[in-house]
Amino acid sequence: MKTSKEWDRLPAQKREVLLKHQVSFPIKVGAIAEEFGIVVKKATLKPGISGTIKETNGEVLVRINRHESDGRQRFTLAHEIAHFLLHREKIGDGIEDTMLFRSELSNSLEAEANRLAADIVMPFSLIDKISFSEEDSFEEKVEQLAELVRLSIPAIEVRLGKKGF
């Protein structure tokens, strides 16, 4: 299976929780958060902030910007789950992620969270099972996949690269 090095770093028990929810598209990221004990709230956040994650007295709270598209909210939640799984010790008083998924954390930690988020909501194990028409262009396939996984076209393009299916 094609996965990121961040996926491979996760303990087997955490990977099993994720795999249990990766049976069909769209991946139910809210159910994944719930299983990890993460409380998720939609909120009006400062302009340019897509999501936040904060841990207080053992409770992990993720707030998602309610004013962004459904696809953006879904990827943001997966990104915050990735921070929880990879960087929990760095959450502290909170992490605010901008629309470009930049925070006070280093760019390398943000890139790690993005790669794991992609593994969570767009697993190649499911993408590889999708049958597309031979006549469909790459762009048409990307549009179909974006609709199926309920994410943005740019997110799909980043996941697939420009190499196609």
Side-chain angles (χ1 to χ4, degrees):
M1 180 171 17
K2 301 174 270 188
T3 54
S4 67
K5 61 186 176 195
E6 289 76 23
W7 177 273
D8 296 335
R9 281 184 13 214
L10 293 177
Q13 177 186 7
K14 290 181 180 178
R15 280 197 312 265
E16 288 302 316
V17 169
L18 296 171
L19 288 168
K20 181 170 78 171
H21 293 278
Q22 293 180 327
V23 294
S24 64
F25 285 126
I27 304 302
K28 294 171 179 54
V29 286
I32 292 171
E34 186 177 326
E35 188 151 349
F36 283 120
I38 300 169
V39 176
V40 180
K41 305 254 185 215
K42 290 189 179 183
T44 299
L45 302 177
K46 294 186 287 189
I49 301 297
S50 294
T52 66
I53 184 169
K54 183 176 185 174
E55 185 166 3
T56 306
N57 299 324
E59 180 184 82
V60 177
L61 172 65
V62 167
R63 295 183 325 144
I64 303 296
N65 191 332
R66 72 172 64 242
H67 302 290
E68 293 187 336
S69 70
D70 177 63
R72 180 57 150 191
Q73 289 179 37
R74 289 173 43 71
F75 192 84
T76 297
L77 180 52
H79 178 91
E80 301 306 341
I81 291 169
H83 275 313
F84 171 80
L85 295 173
L86 296 170
H87 312 127
R88 188 168 183 180
E89 72 285 352
K90 293 177 176 31
I91 293 172
D93 291 335
I95 299 171
E96 285 186 342
D97 284 310
T98 67
M99 292 176 71
L100 298 175
F101 292 108
R102 302 232 180 356
S103 69
E104 299 297 318
L105 294 179
S106 74
N107 283 342
S108 66
L109 296 182
E110 288 301 321
E112 288 177 2
N114 279 339
R115 285 189 294 267
L116 183 57
D119 285 340
I120 292 170
V121 292
M122 297 178 275
F124 281 114
S125 61
L126 292 179
I127 291 172
D128 291 343
K129 292 178 183 175
I130 299 171
S131 297
F132 293 99
S133 170
E134 297 270 336
E135 295 83 40
D136 288 340
S137 68
F138 176 74
E139 291 78 18
E140 290 169 322
K141 291 175 184 175
V142 166
E143 287 175 15
Q144 291 170 35
L145 186 57
E147 188 174 318
L148 180 65
V149 302
R150 292 184 40 217
L151 292 172
S152 69
I153 288 173
I156 302 298
E157 290 173 337
V158 168
R159 179 68 165 161
L160 298 177
K162 296 293 182 182
K163 64 183 178 224
F165 291 82

